Amino acid sequence: MSVASGSAEGASRRERQREQLLRDARAAARQITASEGVEGLTLAAVARRVGVSSPALYRYFDGRQGLVHALYEDLTAELIGAVREAARRQDEDDISAQLDAATRAVLEWSLANRAEFGLLMGATYATAAASQTELRHVISRELGGVFGELFLRLLRTKGLEYPPDDRIPPALRRQLATYREILQPELPLGVVQVMIACWRQIYGLVSMAVYGHLAFAFDDIEPLFDDMMDSLLALLGLEPSPKRR
């Protein structure tokens, strides 16, 4: 073996070790967050889990906030993957079923990953976003973008009633325009307003389920979820998915 090939093999091995350490560290960050909440997530805690020193992790993460940012990216990718896959499994021409399935996937993922939901959209989001300004747009861009695509298809293929710009209060119109740039620039402002009206109901129900608000009465969230989806689909001029009729 030549010196050059030996050096290349050594470099390749170090790169594989580096990639494995990064995977292990990100997995450990997820485990710590799930068991202790994001408050317990530190470089030292992750280092102990993967068997390296804290300084070793500073080579890959910009302190604790860099670790939080990496975890946020991983969680977002996982949630968006679940939502897209849920919609993909439906009939490609049935937008009602796709919207229903995608929204249900948000609920199911959030219930299965309560601490992680807290970081993405819940109680600990503000802390993460305060020191990582780029995180402020992530969920709106990624999750909102998935639903934005569905709403754009709905608008183009089936039509959708929505308020014209001059019926939207100027202050709200300005903010909707800002949100639209992140969400789906091709949508009319009135459609974005309809989307926000839907999302505030969805987010409220998901948060109620995740944090146990009113659990004394709504111990099974499915009937309430189905009732909400029937109302939202009717607002969009759609029938409920045949699976639930």
Side-chain angles (χ1 to χ4, degrees):
M1 180 186 297
S2 69
V3 173
S5 61
S7 299
E9 182 179 338
S12 177
R13 182 169 58 252
R14 287 193 297 273
E15 183 61 25
R16 289 195 299 271
Q17 291 171 343
R18 174 184 178 277
E19 291 174 355
Q20 184 62 53
L21 176 57
L22 281 171
R23 286 193 294 270
D24 291 346
R26 292 172 91 126
R30 172 73 177 273
Q31 294 164 4
I32 292 168
T33 300
S35 61
E36 303 176 30
V38 74
E39 299 82 3
L41 181 58
T42 64
L43 280 176
V46 171
R48 285 194 297 271
R49 290 247 181 167
V50 299
V52 299
S53 65
S54 295
L57 291 183
Y58 274 100
R59 301 173 188 171
Y60 308 111
F61 301 103
D62 184 16
R64 180 180 184 275
Q65 288 306 320
L67 190 61
V68 171
H69 193 172
L71 176 60
Y72 199 98
E73 290 179 339
D74 290 347
L75 296 176
T76 300
E78 181 178 297
L79 170 60
I80 300 307
V83 172
R84 285 193 180 278
E85 176 59 22
R88 188 196 64 78
R89 289 197 298 265
Q90 309 308 309
D91 186 322
E92 64 180 8
D93 295 323
D94 192 342
I95 297 179
S96 176
Q98 291 172 20
L99 286 167
D100 189 296
T103 307
R104 191 177 301 271
V106 174
L107 173 67
E108 291 176 348
W109 186 92
S110 300
L111 287 174
N113 302 278
R114 295 171 191 255
E116 293 91 330
F117 170 85
L119 176 59
L120 286 191
M121 294 181 277
T124 54
Y125 162 78
T127 301
S131 56
Q132 295 281 335
T133 55
E134 59 267 38
L135 296 185
R136 295 175 185 174
H137 299 159
V138 171
I139 283 296
S140 293
R141 183 182 67 241
E142 301 299 330
L143 184 57
V146 173
F147 285 93
E149 293 170 8
L150 291 172
F151 269 74
L152 188 59
R153 282 184 50 215
L154 173 62
L155 180 65
R156 290 173 172 174
T157 60
K158 297 182 178 297
L160 175 65
E161 292 188 7
Y162 60 89
D165 288 6
D166 59 7
R167 296 290 299 275
I168 303 173
L172 179 58
R173 191 162 63 235
R174 173 182 58 80
Q175 295 177 88
L176 289 172
T178 299
Y179 184 61
R180 177 175 62 179
E181 290 305 308
I182 296 294
L183 182 76
Q184 175 56 260
E186 297 180 61
L187 289 172
L189 287 182
V191 175
V192 177
Q193 185 181 21
V194 172
M195 288 187 65
I196 285 289
C198 294
W199 175 242
R200 66 194 181 202
Q201 292 192 54
I202 295 166
Y203 180 77
L205 186 144
V206 171
S207 296
M208 184 181 76
V210 168
Y211 295 119
H213 302 308
L214 302 183
F216 67 92
F218 299 96
D219 57 320
D220 177 6
I221 207 66
E222 289 292 325
L224 190 59
F225 176 88
D226 290 343
D227 180 68
M228 177 192 71
M229 287 305 303
D230 287 348
S231 297
L232 294 181
L233 291 171
L235 175 68
L236 303 178
L238 297 171
E239 293 290 331
S241 171
K243 297 177 182 178
R244 294 198 292 104
R245 289 176 189 167

